[in-house]
Amino acid sequence: MPKKVQKYDVISIGAHPDDVEVGTGGVLVKLKEKGHRTGIVYLTRGEMGTGGTAQIRKKEAEEAAGIMGADLLERFDLGDTKIFDTYENRSLVARVLRKYRPTIVLAPHWEGHTGRRQSHADHVATGRIVLNAANLARLKKFEPRTEPHEVRAIFHYFIPFGVAPTFVIDITDQYDTWLAALKAHRSQFLNPEKTRDYIWSLETMARSFGSLIGAKYGQGFVASSPLNVNDMFALVGSAPKTA
Ligand SMILES: [Zn+2]
């Protein structure tokens, strides 16, 4: 029996297994707690990562998705370190958007910075692919002619150095679950062959974003276009918890 495709509230797209967890994991947990339908899409299998293999990373991503309560985990194989903003890749993501019909899409930022730790080329390419795919998905004549879909907003994570987030979401209450999802990626973040303390770095990142809004932990995003705001108070939210 064909599976009925249901609309998703939020789809978080990454280049490699763990991108979505690192940049948006706490927020996905929070959205799930609020009853939203969330999905995760990876464009590569992460086979070029120093730790693990494509197969190991698949299992880790499945475990992490389970911890975050994601309703969907879909993987593509566009080639780790080989992703480009081509028509074919835009088209693939546009078909994904039409299929799952998300209201909000989360994706890496579309610009990079120099330096190894600042914006992997795959992340930048993924950000651009998603922006262009969202434009394709709304075109009536885009093939195949399935029902057009308009994403309401794209918010970008993996913000390059020197760019301020448009908004930060308080993930203090979701921090432990987020950490558990990160730790599911053992080959990346708990790998004894690596000397860097990744968990410390990721916690520091969350503290840094949190400090911008007076919260203990946060995740920051950049809006790729001005927000259409009806209720200004919806932007303010409740008073954040302080550390
Ligand atoms: Zn990555």
Side-chain angles (χ1 to χ4, degrees), residues 124-138:
V124 175
T126 299
R128 290 178 183 230
I129 290 167
V130 171
L131 280 169
N132 290 314
N135 288 333
L136 278 181
R138 51 191 285 279

Side-chain angles (χ1 to χ4, degrees), residues 52 59 139 177 185 194:
K59 284 204 168 59
L139 297 180
T177 310
H185 290 278
K194 297 186 178 190

Side-chain angles (χ1 to χ4, degrees), residues 24-237:
T24 77
V27 173
L28 289 183
V29 173
K30 190 164 185 166
L31 287 164
K32 190 66 201 170
E33 286 174 4
K34 289 178 185 293
H36 293 295
R37 235 173 119 71
T38 64
I40 296 170
V41 174
Y42 284 120
L43 298 188
T44 79
R45 302 180 306 151
E47 69 274 15
M48 292 295 283
T50 305
T53 61
Q55 205 50 36
I56 288 169
R57 299 195 71 179
K58 177 174 187 279
K59 284 204 168 59
E60 291 175 345
E62 284 167 356
E63 189 182 329
I67 292 168
M68 295 185 292
D71 299 291
L72 167 79
L73 173 60
E74 186 149 334
R75 268 182 359 148
F76 293 95
D77 185 11
L78 300 187
D80 192 351
T81 71
K82 302 179 187 72
I83 310 181
F84 293 96
D85 178 23
T86 61
Y87 180 78
E88 287 69 27
N89 291 344
R90 293 176 189 177
S91 175
L92 177 139
V93 174
R95 292 196 297 274
V96 167
L97 298 179
R98 280 193 172 186
K99 184 175 175 188
Y100 297 120
R101 316 190 73 73
T103 305
I104 294 172
V105 170
L106 306 177
H109 197 279
W110 64 93
E111 282 177 334
H113 202 275
T114 52
R116 190 165 76 87
R117 300 214 191 285
Q118 282 287 336
S119 303
H120 190 302
D122 285 352
H123 299 166
V124 175
T126 299
R128 290 178 183 230
I129 290 167
V130 171
L131 280 169
N132 290 314
N135 288 333
L136 278 181
R138 51 191 285 279
L139 297 180
K140 204 172 133 198
K141 292 180 180 172
F142 171 69
E143 301 281 354
R145 292 201 184 192
T146 49
E147 194 186 339
H149 177 66
E150 181 145 5
V151 172
R152 295 277 297 282
I154 305 175
F155 299 134
H156 297 265
Y157 61 95
F158 287 171
I159 303 170
F161 180 75
V163 176
T166 311
F167 62 91
V168 175
I169 296 182
D170 182 345
I171 61 158
T172 307
D173 290 343
Q174 293 73 32
Y175 179 75
D176 290 341
T177 310
W178 178 56
L179 203 61
L182 292 171
K183 286 181 175 174
H185 290 278
R186 285 173 287 278
S187 71
Q188 307 304 303
F189 305 134
L190 296 173
N191 188 336
E193 292 168 33
K194 297 186 178 190
T195 50
R196 186 172 165 212
D197 187 344
Y198 283 89
I199 297 297
W200 179 88
S201 298
L202 295 168
E203 177 173 3
T204 302
M205 185 178 73
R207 281 183 183 273
S208 172
F209 278 128
S211 71
L212 298 175
I213 58 165
K216 193 167 180 185
Y217 299 109
Q219 284 186 313
F221 296 87
V222 167
S224 49
S225 52
L227 302 173
N228 178 348
V229 175
N230 183 40
D231 175 7
M232 205 183 274
F233 285 94
L235 293 175
V236 180

